Amino acid sequence: MTVLKMNTIKCVHLSSGVTMPLFGLGTFKIRGQDTVHQVLDAALAAGYRSFDTASVYRNEEDIGKSMQTLLPKYGLCRQEIFITSKLAPKDQGQGACREACLQSLSRLQCSYLDLFLIHWPGTHKLRPEDPHHKENRLGSWADMEQLHEEGKVKSIGVSNFLQHHLEELMKACSVKPAVLQIEFHPHLVQRDLLQWCQQHDVHFQAYSSLGTSNQDNKLLTDATVQDVANRVNRTPAQVLLRWAVQQGVGILPKSTNPNHIKENSDIFDFELGDQIMQELTTLSRDTHYCWDPSAVV
């Protein structure tokens, strides 16, 4: 995985041959046409060019509508932004995956997606130990390879897969996953998984880099994170995001606050020293603030 800089946007060159911004906007729980429009407007103004959504977020249609007016506002065309969406667990399996992707394209008013991910290694309503999970994952991937061949998706990948899920997929696929999107932050340093992805040229992209959005945010209020922020004269959020990108990890911070949206993108003009990086890494406590896929066979 090669990290390169295009103009002012730092990007990664994926194994699919596609160039993807290293940071983008996460849109989980951002709903309602007015809210979505305001958030995307602020993000585009701040220089964001990558936007991450999913079928289960229930905001694809609002994003699609907003982009129709916001891209001309900023003098941008579709090819200048990167849009990611994901396959819902209820739509796992060959045939269902294809139809779900086409529906996402319709809601987003796009002729193609830059990246399409299997959102979860399991299938909705199946028990975690059910062997049909594997069958459905591989069926979904067969559809995704076909969609990739047709140009409807430029890159394909997975979310919330662990190493055994990835190894199983690699043995069966014709097109390997270009991206793994997974929870990753100083309280959940998945070092072995990160190294596996680096060795196999699968870009490692983090979600929930800032923890949860509730008031009791144990990441942003972590004493070490706050101390580092004071030492480098940055916000705790900027420190957490810089810690990730300094390892070549993609990030998708979410916010509805225009000031925070701008602050979150302002992380490429400073570096954390080796000692600080180590201080943050040693905070790992194997804590998931979102979803833990380890039970899914």
Side-chain angles (χ1 to χ4, degrees):
M1 185 271 294
T2 304
V3 177
L4 59 155
K5 195 169 185 181
M6 293 176 58
N7 299 323
T8 59
I9 303 173
K10 209 154 193 175
C11 298
V12 293
H13 192 66
L14 303 178
S15 61
S16 59
V18 170
T19 298
M20 179 176 75
L22 190 62
F23 82 94
L25 181 76
T27 65
F28 178 51
K29 292 186 177 178
I30 300 178
R31 293 181 188 160
Q33 183 61 61
D34 289 345
T35 299
V36 167
H37 189 92
Q38 291 166 10
V39 168
L40 295 185
D41 196 1
L44 286 165
Y48 286 70
R49 296 296 182 263
S50 177
F51 301 89
D52 180 271
T53 184
S55 174
V56 298
Y57 296 175
R58 292 186 287 169
N59 60 14
E60 290 175 317
E61 187 171 355
D62 290 333
I63 290 173
K65 288 179 181 178
S66 295
M67 286 296 184
Q68 295 303 306
T69 57
L70 288 173
L71 293 186
K73 175 180 177 179
Y74 290 97
L76 297 168
C77 63
R78 168 67 182 91
Q79 291 75 16
E80 293 175 288
I81 63 168
F82 193 101
I83 297 179
T84 300
S85 194
K86 309 180 195 78
L87 176 73
K90 71 178 180 62
D91 296 320
Q92 282 270 31
Q94 194 160 10
C97 171
R98 179 182 181 85
E99 181 58 30
C101 181
L102 296 178
Q103 289 176 4
S104 287
L105 285 168
S106 177
R107 288 189 291 267
L108 287 161
Q109 300 185 46
C110 291
S111 61
Y112 69 91
L113 291 172
D114 297 279
L115 177 64
F116 189 53
L117 306 175
I118 297 178
H119 205 158
W120 183 252
T123 301
H124 184 55
K125 293 186 177 180
L126 293 185
R127 295 179 64 85
E129 67 275 13
D130 195 314
H132 287 97
H133 289 305
K134 175 180 178 179
E135 176 186 335
N136 289 342
R137 284 193 297 269
L138 296 183
S140 296
W141 196 258
D143 275 0
M144 291 168 70
E145 289 188 338
Q146 183 63 38
L147 290 161
H148 177 260
E149 184 178 338
E150 295 169 3
K152 290 182 172 61
V153 292
K154 303 298 185 184
S155 297
I156 54 179
V158 296
S159 181
N160 295 300
F161 276 42
L162 299 179
Q163 184 172 329
H164 69 280
H165 301 130
L166 287 162
E167 289 175 337
E168 164 199 281
L169 180 57
M170 290 288 238
K171 290 177 182 176
C173 69
S174 298
V175 179
K176 75 176 185 179
V179 173
L180 167 66
Q181 187 184 113
I182 199 159
E183 185 176 358
F184 177 79
H185 45 68
H187 288 176
L188 185 65
V189 181
Q190 306 201 59
R191 181 62 54 198
D192 291 344
L193 186 57
L194 172 59
Q195 290 177 348
W196 187 94
C197 286
Q198 290 171 337
Q199 290 166 3
H200 292 83
D201 198 19
V202 177
H203 177 59
F204 195 95
Q205 186 180 56
Y207 70 75
S208 294
S209 299
L210 306 180
T212 58
S213 58
N214 60 38
Q215 293 182 344
D216 184 29
N217 188 310
K218 292 181 171 58
L219 261 177
L220 291 175
T221 60
D222 185 286
T224 299
V225 173
Q226 293 190 332
D227 177 60
V228 168
N230 288 332
R231 277 187 272 161
V232 300
N233 196 30
R234 295 283 177 159
T235 67
Q238 287 172 324
V239 166
L240 291 167
L241 296 172
R242 181 66 206 180
W243 173 83
V245 299
Q246 207 161 300
Q247 300 175 71
V249 173
I251 53 171
L252 299 163
K254 181 200 76 173
S255 178
T256 56
N257 183 311
N259 291 329
H260 292 165
I261 289 170
K262 178 67 173 69
E263 285 178 356
N264 289 343
S265 68
D266 189 20
I267 57 169
F268 295 103
D269 61 349
F270 75 101
E271 287 193 3
L272 300 174
D274 291 344
Q275 181 179 338
I276 288 178
M277 290 291 291
Q278 185 59 27
E279 285 180 48
L280 295 171
T281 298
T282 55
L283 295 175
S284 188
R285 56 186 73 166
D286 200 27
T287 299
H288 290 262
Y289 293 122
C290 293
W291 303 278
D292 183 354
S294 59
V296 181
V297 298

Short mmCIF file of all heavy atoms in Angstrom, two decimals, residues 83-105:
data_model
loop_
_atom_site.label_atom_id
_atom_site.label_comp_id
_atom_site.label_asym_id
_atom_site.label_seq_id
_atom_site.Cartn_x
_atom_site.Cartn_y
_atom_site.Cartn_z
N ILE A 83 -17.07 7.65 -3.08
CA ILE A 83 -18.26 7.23 -2.33
C ILE A 83 -18.18 5.75 -2.02
O ILE A 83 -17.98 4.91 -2.90
CB ILE A 83 -19.55 7.52 -3.12
CG1 ILE A 83 -19.70 9.04 -3.34
CG2 ILE A 83 -20.76 6.98 -2.37
CD1 ILE A 83 -20.93 9.41 -4.14
N THR A 84 -18.32 5.44 -0.73
CA THR A 84 -18.34 4.06 -0.24
C THR A 84 -19.72 3.73 0.30
O THR A 84 -20.32 4.54 1.01
CB THR A 84 -17.32 3.88 0.90
OG1 THR A 84 -16.01 4.18 0.44
CG2 THR A 84 -17.35 2.46 1.45
N SER A 85 -20.23 2.55 -0.03
CA SER A 85 -21.41 2.04 0.64
C SER A 85 -21.18 0.56 0.98
O SER A 85 -20.16 -0.02 0.59
CB SER A 85 -22.67 2.22 -0.20
OG SER A 85 -23.82 2.02 0.62
N LYS A 86 -22.15 -0.01 1.68
CA LYS A 86 -21.94 -1.36 2.22
C LYS A 86 -23.19 -2.22 2.12
O LYS A 86 -24.32 -1.71 2.16
CB LYS A 86 -21.52 -1.27 3.70
CG LYS A 86 -20.37 -0.32 3.96
CD LYS A 86 -20.00 -0.29 5.43
CE LYS A 86 -19.13 0.90 5.74
NZ LYS A 86 -19.89 2.16 5.84
N LEU A 87 -22.94 -3.51 2.01
CA LEU A 87 -24.00 -4.51 1.92
C LEU A 87 -24.55 -4.82 3.31
O LEU A 87 -23.80 -5.18 4.22
CB LEU A 87 -23.44 -5.79 1.30
CG LEU A 87 -24.38 -6.98 1.21
CD1 LEU A 87 -25.41 -6.75 0.12
CD2 LEU A 87 -23.59 -8.26 0.95
N ALA A 88 -25.85 -4.72 3.49
CA ALA A 88 -26.47 -5.00 4.78
C ALA A 88 -26.45 -6.50 5.07
O ALA A 88 -26.55 -7.32 4.15
CB ALA A 88 -27.91 -4.50 4.79
N PRO A 89 -26.34 -6.89 6.35
CA PRO A 89 -26.35 -8.32 6.70
C PRO A 89 -27.59 -9.06 6.22
O PRO A 89 -27.51 -10.26 5.92
CB PRO A 89 -26.29 -8.29 8.24
CG PRO A 89 -25.57 -7.02 8.56
CD PRO A 89 -26.05 -6.04 7.52
N LYS A 90 -28.71 -8.38 6.08
CA LYS A 90 -29.93 -9.04 5.60
C LYS A 90 -29.86 -9.38 4.12
O LYS A 90 -30.64 -10.20 3.62
CB LYS A 90 -31.16 -8.17 5.87
CG LYS A 90 -31.25 -6.92 5.02
CD LYS A 90 -32.50 -6.13 5.31
CE LYS A 90 -32.61 -4.88 4.45
NZ LYS A 90 -32.70 -5.17 3.01
N ASP A 91 -28.90 -8.76 3.40
CA ASP A 91 -28.79 -8.96 1.96
C ASP A 91 -27.61 -9.84 1.56
O ASP A 91 -27.23 -9.88 0.39
CB ASP A 91 -28.66 -7.60 1.26
CG ASP A 91 -29.90 -6.75 1.42
OD1 ASP A 91 -31.01 -7.30 1.35
OD2 ASP A 91 -29.76 -5.52 1.65
N GLN A 92 -27.05 -10.57 2.53
CA GLN A 92 -25.94 -11.46 2.22
C GLN A 92 -26.40 -12.58 1.29
O GLN A 92 -27.53 -13.07 1.40
CB GLN A 92 -25.41 -12.10 3.51
CG GLN A 92 -24.52 -11.19 4.33
CD GLN A 92 -23.05 -11.31 3.93
OE1 GLN A 92 -22.72 -11.57 2.78
NE2 GLN A 92 -22.16 -11.10 4.89
N GLY A 93 -25.49 -13.00 0.41
CA GLY A 93 -25.77 -14.13 -0.46
C GLY A 93 -25.84 -13.75 -1.92
O GLY A 93 -26.14 -12.61 -2.27
N GLN A 94 -25.52 -14.73 -2.77
CA GLN A 94 -25.49 -14.47 -4.20
C GLN A 94 -26.89 -14.12 -4.71
O GLN A 94 -27.87 -14.74 -4.35
CB GLN A 94 -24.94 -15.68 -4.96
CG GLN A 94 -24.54 -15.39 -6.39
CD GLN A 94 -23.58 -16.43 -6.94
OE1 GLN A 94 -23.34 -17.46 -6.33
NE2 GLN A 94 -23.01 -16.14 -8.11
N GLY A 95 -26.97 -13.12 -5.54
CA GLY A 95 -28.24 -12.64 -6.05
C GLY A 95 -28.77 -11.49 -5.22
O GLY A 95 -29.00 -10.40 -5.73
N ALA A 96 -28.92 -11.73 -3.92
CA ALA A 96 -29.41 -10.67 -3.02
C ALA A 96 -28.39 -9.54 -2.92
O ALA A 96 -28.76 -8.36 -2.88
CB ALA A 96 -29.69 -11.25 -1.64
N CYS A 97 -27.12 -9.89 -2.93
CA CYS A 97 -26.07 -8.87 -2.85
C CYS A 97 -26.11 -7.96 -4.08
O CYS A 97 -26.04 -6.73 -3.95
CB CYS A 97 -24.70 -9.54 -2.74
SG CYS A 97 -23.30 -8.41 -2.90
N ARG A 98 -26.23 -8.55 -5.23
CA ARG A 98 -26.26 -7.75 -6.46
C ARG A 98 -27.43 -6.77 -6.45
O ARG A 98 -27.27 -5.58 -6.74
CB ARG A 98 -26.35 -8.66 -7.69
CG ARG A 98 -26.41 -7.88 -9.00
CD ARG A 98 -26.56 -8.77 -10.22
NE ARG A 98 -26.59 -7.95 -11.43
CZ ARG A 98 -25.52 -7.52 -12.07
NH1 ARG A 98 -24.32 -7.83 -11.62
NH2 ARG A 98 -25.64 -6.77 -13.15
N GLU A 99 -28.60 -7.26 -6.08
CA GLU A 99 -29.78 -6.41 -6.07
C GLU A 99 -29.62 -5.28 -5.05
O GLU A 99 -30.00 -4.14 -5.31
CB GLU A 99 -31.02 -7.25 -5.74
CG GLU A 99 -32.32 -6.47 -5.71
CD GLU A 99 -32.64 -5.77 -7.02
OE1 GLU A 99 -32.24 -6.26 -8.09
OE2 GLU A 99 -33.30 -4.71 -6.96
N ALA A 100 -29.04 -5.59 -3.90
CA ALA A 100 -28.85 -4.58 -2.88
C ALA A 100 -27.88 -3.49 -3.34
O ALA A 100 -28.10 -2.30 -3.09
CB ALA A 100 -28.32 -5.22 -1.60
N CYS A 101 -26.83 -3.87 -4.04
CA CYS A 101 -25.88 -2.89 -4.55
C CYS A 101 -26.54 -1.98 -5.58
O CYS A 101 -26.35 -0.76 -5.56
CB CYS A 101 -24.67 -3.60 -5.17
SG CYS A 101 -23.42 -2.45 -5.81
N LEU A 102 -27.34 -2.56 -6.46
CA LEU A 102 -28.03 -1.76 -7.47
C LEU A 102 -29.01 -0.78 -6.82
O LEU A 102 -29.18 0.36 -7.29
CB LEU A 102 -28.76 -2.66 -8.46
CG LEU A 102 -27.86 -3.57 -9.32
CD1 LEU A 102 -28.71 -4.46 -10.23
CD2 LEU A 102 -26.87 -2.76 -10.15
N GLN A 103 -29.63 -1.20 -5.73
CA GLN A 103 -30.54 -0.31 -5.01
C GLN A 103 -29.76 0.84 -4.36
O GLN A 103 -30.23 1.99 -4.36
CB GLN A 103 -31.32 -1.09 -3.96
CG GLN A 103 -32.36 -2.03 -4.55
CD GLN A 103 -33.07 -2.87 -3.50
OE1 GLN A 103 -32.85 -2.70 -2.29
NE2 GLN A 103 -33.93 -3.78 -3.95
N SER A 104 -28.57 0.53 -3.81
CA SER A 104 -27.74 1.59 -3.24
C SER A 104 -27.35 2.60 -4.31
O SER A 104 -27.38 3.82 -4.09
CB SER A 104 -26.49 1.00 -2.58
OG SER A 104 -26.80 0.35 -1.37
N LEU A 105 -26.97 2.10 -5.48
CA LEU A 105 -26.62 3.00 -6.58
C LEU A 105 -27.79 3.90 -6.95
O LEU A 105 -27.61 5.11 -7.18
CB LEU A 105 -26.19 2.18 -7.81
CG LEU A 105 -24.81 1.55 -7.76
CD1 LEU A 105 -24.66 0.54 -8.89
CD2 LEU A 105 -23.73 2.62 -7.84
#
